């Protein structure tokens, strides 16, 4: 894909990992996706602007860490999240985006939800966002997903622009 932003740079992301590559066998597919997650978030950890990320392990469900489920499923009830093929297909993207967060193409900003502060990294053309949760001296990869609604993308862009303006005023 050769799409340019105002900086004439584009951050190319890897091909999707699709269920069809596993003959429609969801169990094999899930295990392959988990292996990728394990390689990228457990065996080697992404680094966000010099800070190595920790991992939210608990609750472990079906032998897989909480962060894995947040990156590959959706739902507000932790015990009943549903697999999301769009998230599963893009499992290689979060660590790559985190490791390349200083790339001029990506939009990076912070927001607050309740008492929690998050770092958001958005790949605008791919409608994809990675969210890191700030802890006391550490960061956790929290979730990552395809932005499916135009209103949400507009909200993110507005939030980013307001964040940048507030930083410029400081």
């Amino acid at each position: 894909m050769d799409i340019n932003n105002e900086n004439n740079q584009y951050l190319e992301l890897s091909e999707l990992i699709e269920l069809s590559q596993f003959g429609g066998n969801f169990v094999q597919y899930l295990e392959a996706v988990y292996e990728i997650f394990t390689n990228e978030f457990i065996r080697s950890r992404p680094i966000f602007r010099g800070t190595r990320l920790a991992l939210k392990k608990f609750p472990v469900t079906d032998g897989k860490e909480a962060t894995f489920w947040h990156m590959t499923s959706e739902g507000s009830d932790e015990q009943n999240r549903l697999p999301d093929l769009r998230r599963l297909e893009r499992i290689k993207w979060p660590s790559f985006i985190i490791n390349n967060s200083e790339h001029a193409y990506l939009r990076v900003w912070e927001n607050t939800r309740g008492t929690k502060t998050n770092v958001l990294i958005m790949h605008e053309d791919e409608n994809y966002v990675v969210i890191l949760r700030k802890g006391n001296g550490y960061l956790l990869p929290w979730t990552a997903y395809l932005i499916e609604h135009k209103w949400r993308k507009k909200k993110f862009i507005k939030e980013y622009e307001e964040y940048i303006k507030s930083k410029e005023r400081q």
Side-chain angles (χ1 to χ4, degrees):
M1 194 177 289
D2 189 23
I3 299 171
N4 295 320
N5 69 351
E6 67 251 12
N7 298 316
N8 291 325
Q9 294 182 2
Y10 179 78
L11 183 61
E12 188 76 30
L13 300 173
S14 66
E15 295 294 318
L16 302 179
I17 309 298
E18 297 177 330
L19 179 58
S20 62
Q21 295 169 284
F22 297 85
N25 183 323
F26 187 76
V27 173
Q28 280 184 336
Y29 179 58
L30 185 64
E31 289 309 313
V33 169
Y34 182 67
E35 182 62 25
I36 292 167
F37 172 83
T38 299
N39 285 334
E40 306 215 356
F41 284 94
I42 297 173
R43 291 187 186 115
S44 67
R45 303 246 172 128
I47 298 173
F48 175 78
R49 300 183 174 186
T51 302
R52 185 175 297 275
L53 275 62
L55 190 68
K56 183 176 190 264
K57 295 180 181 179
F58 301 102
V60 173
T61 306
D62 294 332
K64 296 169 179 63
E65 296 78 9
T67 298
F68 173 77
W69 294 116
H70 270 260
M71 288 192 173
T72 61
S73 63
E74 61 183 343
S76 56
D77 178 3
E78 290 294 320
Q79 301 303 321
N80 295 303
R81 291 178 66 90
L82 298 172
D84 182 334
L85 287 177
R86 289 161 309 284
R87 292 182 186 208
L88 288 157
E89 290 171 340
R90 291 162 175 79
I91 195 62
K92 288 185 175 183
W93 292 9
S95 66
F96 180 77
I97 288 173
I98 293 165
N99 286 329
N100 289 281
S101 66
E102 296 190 63
H103 191 281
Y105 181 79
L106 297 172
R107 294 181 187 241
V108 180
W109 74 100
E110 292 182 13
N111 72 16
T112 302
R113 297 290 183 259
T115 60
K116 305 294 183 182
T117 301
N118 301 308
V119 175
L120 292 84
I121 312 167
M122 185 170 75
H123 192 293
E124 190 173 348
D125 282 338
E126 295 294 342
N127 294 320
Y128 193 75
V129 64
V130 176
I131 300 175
L132 309 175
R133 174 75 38 98
K134 281 187 155 186
N136 190 12
Y138 63 91
L139 289 168
L140 295 173
W142 199 252
T143 193
Y145 57 88
L146 191 62
I147 305 165
E148 297 184 279
H149 303 287
K150 288 181 183 179
W151 63 265
R152 178 164 288 177
K153 184 175 180 178
K154 285 180 183 177
K155 180 181 173 185
F156 278 151
I157 291 170
K158 182 179 179 187
E159 192 176 80
Y160 167 79
E161 289 169 350
E162 289 172 359
Y163 175 80
I164 296 303
K165 284 179 188 173
S166 74
K167 288 292 182 193
E168 290 171 352
R169 287 191 293 261
Q170 292 179 355

